[in-house]
Amino acid sequence: MKVLVAVKRVVDFNVKVRVKSDGSGVDLANVKMSMNPFCEIAVEEAVRMKEKGLASEIIAVSVGPTQAQETIRTALAMGADRGILVETDQTVEPLAVAKLLAKIVAEEKPDLVILGKQAIDDDSNQTGQMLAALLDWPQGTFASELVKQDDRLLLTREVDGGLQTLKLQIPAVITTDLRLNEPRYASLPNIMKAKRKPIDVKKPDDYGVDITPRLDVLSTEEPPARSAGVILESVAELVDKLKNEAGVL
Ligand code: AMP
């Protein structure tokens, strides 16, 4: 199977983000950026498939600024074979990414596309679903386990109250949940090797896709500050506060 993995460059999950003073978004100046954690899980799953002899080639694709090459290099160091960067400094919304990925799928003809279930910057949780719709391919979202069975994929999803297992015909689009695997750290030799792996740099225009944003951000706000906690002397005091202050008893 040829596997395409979509990897997004986002603010590192450890960074405490600051909202820009004009409320137009999050301040990205001098902020550490990394691969979206769900995309790391997607790359890891593809690499494990390759190690099991199920995948023949892994292509890591990112849509973003020049620096998104670093995100692709991380995927290459983890075990992807080559990369494609669709370079743009514009904000790209899930529909634009899905359209670009659909064009790349038409060119590369992968058997499987793996995406993260959501990007931790916009929390959209849309791109995989939109891509599957554009391609008219089966989709399995929020995968917590993936097993190949003949020419099908058995995909387990955690749903309210239990597990759901889907049998997907390939080619298919899947998105990864947190428990699918634990991504590896790239070893130094693999980081060195990744420097020699090819990355194709394209522009959205090369695919004839209009990436003009369709959404207006009206405001971005910090969550309300939490008030400080208090240390109570006794259980009786706690019960009193729950009853008379919080009103939950
Ligand atoms: P979202 O729908 O924005 O929450 O993103 C879900 C997944 O779509 C991410 O985990 C990535 O796998 C993929 N994706 C979204 N945006 C991009 C992008 N700019 N470049 C590459 N992959 C992306």
Side-chain angles (χ1 to χ4, degrees):
M1 286 200 296
K2 186 168 171 181
V3 183
L4 203 94
V5 186
V7 292
K8 186 175 188 187
R9 177 178 184 263
V10 296
V11 174
D12 188 90
F13 74 99
N14 279 312
V15 169
K16 189 174 175 327
V17 292
R18 291 177 315 267
V19 170
K20 285 191 204 162
S21 52
D22 63 1
S24 61
V26 164
D27 193 356
L28 296 181
N30 303 317
V31 166
K32 182 175 182 225
M33 306 291 283
S34 301
M35 188 189 295
N36 180 48
F38 292 106
C39 301
E40 285 183 345
I41 296 172
V43 176
E44 177 66 35
E45 197 61 21
V47 173
R48 288 185 190 190
M49 287 179 136
K50 193 164 178 202
E51 287 168 345
K52 286 187 205 143
L54 299 174
S56 50
E57 189 185 24
I58 304 167
I59 307 164
V61 181
S62 194
V63 182
T66 315
Q67 298 91 316
Q69 286 214 20
E70 291 159 24
T71 312
I72 295 177
R73 287 275 168 226
T74 305
L76 299 177
M78 287 173 74
D81 297 289
R82 62 188 169 93
I84 300 174
L85 169 65
V86 184
E87 198 178 37
T88 174
D89 286 327
Q90 269 197 51
T91 306
V92 273
E93 291 172 355
L95 182 60
V97 176
K99 285 180 179 172
L100 288 165
L101 290 173
K103 295 281 183 183
I104 295 171
V105 165
E107 268 183 25
E108 295 285 348
K109 305 197 170 30
D111 303 286
L112 184 63
V113 185
I114 314 182
L115 303 91
K117 79 165 176 184
Q118 76 192 56
I120 62 164
D121 52 0
D122 58 19
D123 277 341
S124 294
N125 174 8
Q126 293 175 346
T127 312
Q129 295 88 329
M130 286 176 166
L131 175 64
L134 290 171
L135 295 171
D136 199 17
W137 282 10
Q139 62 175 295
T141 54
F142 308 175
S144 61
E145 198 186 339
L146 190 63
V147 178
K148 178 124 192 306
Q149 197 182 65
D150 307 320
D151 62 340
R152 304 283 168 114
L153 290 170
L154 289 186
L155 180 143
T156 305
R157 327 171 59 228
E158 287 171 21
V159 292
D160 279 353
L163 299 174
Q164 180 187 45
T165 304
L166 305 177
K167 195 185 251 188
L168 300 178
Q169 175 103 50
I170 56 171
V173 174
I174 68 170
T175 72
T176 61
D177 209 341
L178 206 58
R179 270 177 282 275
L180 181 59
N181 61 50
E182 222 174 282
R184 69 195 62 194
Y185 289 105
S187 65
L188 192 58
N190 285 344
I191 293 172
M192 301 310 287
K193 248 196 256 167
K195 290 185 199 287
R196 290 192 301 273
K197 294 184 180 175
I199 298 180
D200 230 359
V201 180
K202 303 277 200 180
K203 298 279 180 199
D205 278 351
D206 295 336
Y207 297 104
V209 172
D210 176 9
I211 62 163
T212 310
R214 290 156 181 250
L215 303 172
D216 288 328
V217 176
L218 299 183
S219 71
T220 312
E221 289 157 32
E222 302 270 356
R226 289 177 62 177
S227 48
V230 286
I231 296 176
L232 304 178
E233 297 294 329
S234 66
V235 173
E237 206 185 332
L238 172 66
V239 172
D240 177 63
K241 279 191 182 293
L242 290 174
K243 232 187 221 165
N244 300 314
E245 282 183 25
V248 293
L249 286 183

